Amino acid sequence: MFEPVLLRNVDLLDGHLLSSYEAGGGYQALVKALRDFTPDEVVDLVKQSNLRGRGGAGFPTGMKWGFVPKRADKLKYLCCNADEGEPGTFKDRIIMERDPHQLIEGLAVSAYAIGAETAYVYVRGEYVTAIRRLEQAIAEATDKGYLGRHVLGSEFNFAVHIHCGAGAYICGEETAMLESLEGRRAQPRLKPPFPAVAGLYASPTVINNVETLACVPHIVMRGADWFRGIGPDKSPGPKLYCVSGQVRKPGLYELPMGIPLRELVEEHAGGPLPGRRIKAVIPGGVSAPVIPETGLEVGMDFDSLAAAGSMLGSAGVIVVDDTACMVKVATRIVEFFHHESCGKCTPCREGLNWAVKVLRRIEAGDGAADDLEQLEMLCKGIFGNTFCALGDGAAMGLRAALKHFRDEFVAHIEQRRCPFH
């Protein structure tokens, strides 16, 4: 029987308060880590759990921590990526608003493991309630000795600072976020060097997502075997799935990693609206290539979705039913990426601009016979030729729409109108 742990406090009216968190065993993982583990032992525990990053890339968390130099002559930093700008994604917001101490405890244990004394939580500025709750939680934790100098009487010092973003999607890319933290325009950096070696202020830096950090206290308390026992061997653990779109019960669901997409959408989220059928599902935020209804048996984990030609991403599951026009869906997604492109890379800046023009032309009924070939050519020019994954996400999404729903694009061009309106 699966037991939710990440969302166990979110339905409590006072779940954001320290008293409520402590009553449920909160901060005992920090106590245990400081008392029973060396920093290297915490890193090894997370490696053994095979926790993979929940922000999108799915990189093994313990391995990332292990890249931080043991004897650095510079300060080490921990950064929490709480920008959450991926459309269809709202899991991190719920944790920060309703259970912020879970994040703070995860930050504290993680910082102890990598030898950092300072953490920055980069939160998108629109998350006003989350920011206020985090500020309150940091003050409570500091007063109680969970943060500050000599945490819980140990030699470990730790401070958490909040940095509010200004709504730029590109800040979800880790090096662009570091640029923003340092007061510069948010644009991706060339890698290497990677942040673990030269990140914030050119110092060793670990960057993890909110959900990733929230998993750490549970691994410390319950062990690596418990975590690995949930879901597939290569992608284990509990997972938060954000379900939205044309579905009966949109919401945030905590379920085992690897649950079939069809089970998530049809059983947990209630299936399509009355009288409608599911046409397609975007499984991981709009960066993830769309999956047609016939492919919904795929498991919701990193490897299964990659094998199916898509990706788990942020697990922002967007359901599209048979009343929706896939040309319009694809156009809106590419418009979003074009608007959010930082403009640093020519293929992304110019390629997405032309892709939007062509898609708008097709949607308006003015498409030409060679427009689909031109879109394919634009995707080829963008994919793999940019500093970050923004252009790749746009190109992969458009390619998938053209592959699975080409007939709708052809109908727009031949009928010179949208057949769905």
Side-chain angles (χ1 to χ4, degrees), residues 251-326:
L252 182 61
Y253 296 87
E254 181 180 354
L255 296 163
M257 183 78 87
I259 185 173
L261 180 54
R262 186 178 299 280
E263 179 183 337
L264 172 62
V265 171
E266 295 187 354
E267 295 184 22
H268 296 280
L273 299 173
R276 300 184 185 180
R277 292 180 294 105
I278 294 174
K279 176 186 286 188
V281 177
I282 299 173
V286 296
S287 297
V290 65
I291 293 178
E293 189 277 338
T294 53
L296 297 189
E297 306 305 331
V298 65
M300 286 292 287
D301 61 83
F302 296 105
D303 300 313
S304 298
L305 282 166
S310 189
M311 61 182 184
L312 181 62
S314 61
V317 179
I318 304 172
V319 181
V320 181
D321 72 19
D322 57 352
T323 65
C325 168
M326 290 306 298

Side-chain angles (χ1 to χ4, degrees), residues 149-204:
R149 294 190 59 79
H150 303 296
V151 172
L152 299 175
S154 70
E155 295 301 311
F156 175 51
N157 304 318
F158 185 51
V160 179
H161 306 282
I162 298 173
H163 184 97
C164 301
Y169 174 82
I170 193 63
C171 290
E173 198 281 331
E174 60 179 14
T175 61
M177 184 190 73
L178 295 178
E179 289 289 292
S180 180
L181 274 170
E182 293 180 10
R184 290 189 289 273
R185 181 177 179 178
Q187 291 187 324
R189 297 175 180 175
L190 181 63
K191 294 182 285 189
F194 292 93
V197 176
L200 187 64
Y201 308 124
S203 299

